[in-house]
Every structure is written in structure tokens, then in C-alpha cells.
Amino acid sequence: GQQLNQSPQSMFIQEGEDVSMNCTSSSIFNTWLWYKQEPGEGPVLLIALYKAGELTSNGRLTAQFGITRKDSFLNISASIPSDVGIYFCAGLWSGTYKYIFGTGTRLKVLA
Amino acid sequence: GAGVSQTPSNKVTEKGKYVELRCDPISGHTALYWYRQSLGQGPEFLIYFQGTGAADDSGLPNDRFFAVRPEGSVSTLKIQRTERGDSAVYLCASSSNGQGIKDTQYFGPGTRLTVL
């Protein structure tokens, strides 16, 4: 099935550092979402974006809906150990319900 | 309130056996979805229910896979004649009504299926 391209695939960072990751698609989406998944758990919604160019924050997390509507970015500032997990982007076409997920970015934070 | 729950959390079976995976959605959510997540990948859509009916089953890989939601709440994903390639985490999600771009899907913890 179709999966969106996420980069980087994995990151090892020091506690306190900022993190950036992105997601690209060959298709235009009307909604971009960012989820976090921890071991043994389902994905948990972090941020949802609904308009091209939109910039939305949730605490230390900031996400942007790319103006081409084919990409999205997630930034985490001042990382902490509990940020560890896999971050997935997901895109949604207008009028549909079928989330198309990315391949994931695995984040590890070293204390 | 209670989130989406799935049982069992883990299921180990032998090749060729039949398995059932259960999903309890958030109370009042009319839309329910099943996704499959292979190791190292993101979830992939399998099937979408609106109420009791399967509105879209285009993601089911073949006719060994079937899902039901007889009363519009709990759903069961059924896999016949399991194969080793069916090993994955099966995720269930529910949303309020399945309509509109702001109808967020909330995921359960998944059932990890291992076919030996």
C-alpha cells in the first residue's frame, strides 16, 4: 500500500536539543496529521493541520502544513527523555477517511 | 472517558488456523477503522465501518480477511487460514462520524498477531 516518505528514518539526540523531521508525498492532501507511537501502544494524535501554510503548536511541538500541500514538518524543541518514540505523519484527502501514513521517524533521546 | 480497546493484546497462532481480533470503539463513535502495521512500517488501511455496514473494505488484502460490526459498536476482524505473512500489529481506530476533515481517528493499542 501507499506510504508517505518520512525523514530522517531515525534520530539519536541529546536531551535539550531541538528536533526536526518532515514528511513528503507525491499527492496533495487536505489534512496533515502527526501521531506519536510508543512501544505496545497505538498512535496518539499530536497535531492536526487543515490549511496550506498553517503553523500549529502543541506545547514544545510545532508542525507546519507545506504550501505545496505535498509536505509537512514537525519540530520538537528542548527534547526530553519522554519524547522517545516513533513519530508518524498521516495525510488525508478531502471527502475521505482513509489515513495514509508515513514510514515513521524513530526518535531516541540521550539523557 | 475510555478509549479504544482491543483484545487480545497478543495472539500467537499456527499457520492455517483461524483467528478473531476484537475492537471496542469509543462510546458513541459511529465510524470504526481497522489498520495493519507491519514491523518498521506505518499503519495501512484495511476497512472502514459506518455504523453496522462496511463502507469501504478496499484495504483487505484477500478474501481470507473479513470484518463485522453487527450492532454498530464492537467490531471483530476475522482471518481464515492464517499465513506467516499475516503477522503484524492490527490496529483499530474510531471517530465520531467518519465525515469531515476534522473527524479525528483515535487508535487502540493494537493486537500483535504472530503466525508460526
Side-chain angles (χ1 to χ4, degrees), chain A residues 89-105:
Chain A
C89 62
L92 184 68
W93 291 294
S94 180
T96 71
Y97 40 75
K98 199 181 301 186
Y99 285 6
I100 307 298
F101 279 87
T103 49
T105 293

Side-chain angles (χ1 to χ4, degrees), chain B residues 100-112:
Chain B
I101 61 174
K102 296 193 178 183
D103 186 54
T104 302
Q105 296 179 23
Y106 297 90
F107 285 81
T111 293
R112 180 176 297 278

Side-chain angles (χ1 to χ4, degrees), chain A residues 5 33 37-38 43 59 61 69 80 84-85 95:
Chain A
N5 295 316
L33 307 111
Q37 187 174 29
E38 298 185 32
L61 277 61
R69 295 164 62 195
I80 59 178
V84 167

Side-chain angles (χ1 to χ4, degrees), chain B residues 11-38:
Chain B
K11 176 70 177 177
V12 180
T13 191
E14 294 180 342
K15 181 174 178 295
K17 299 289 189 182
Y18 168 83
V19 296
E20 290 189 351
L21 311 179
R22 176 188 168 108
C23 171
D24 278 90
I26 293 172
S27 178
H29 279 191
T30 62
L32 185 145
Y33 316 80
W34 284 98
Y35 289 81
R36 180 166 72 173
Q37 186 174 23
S38 299

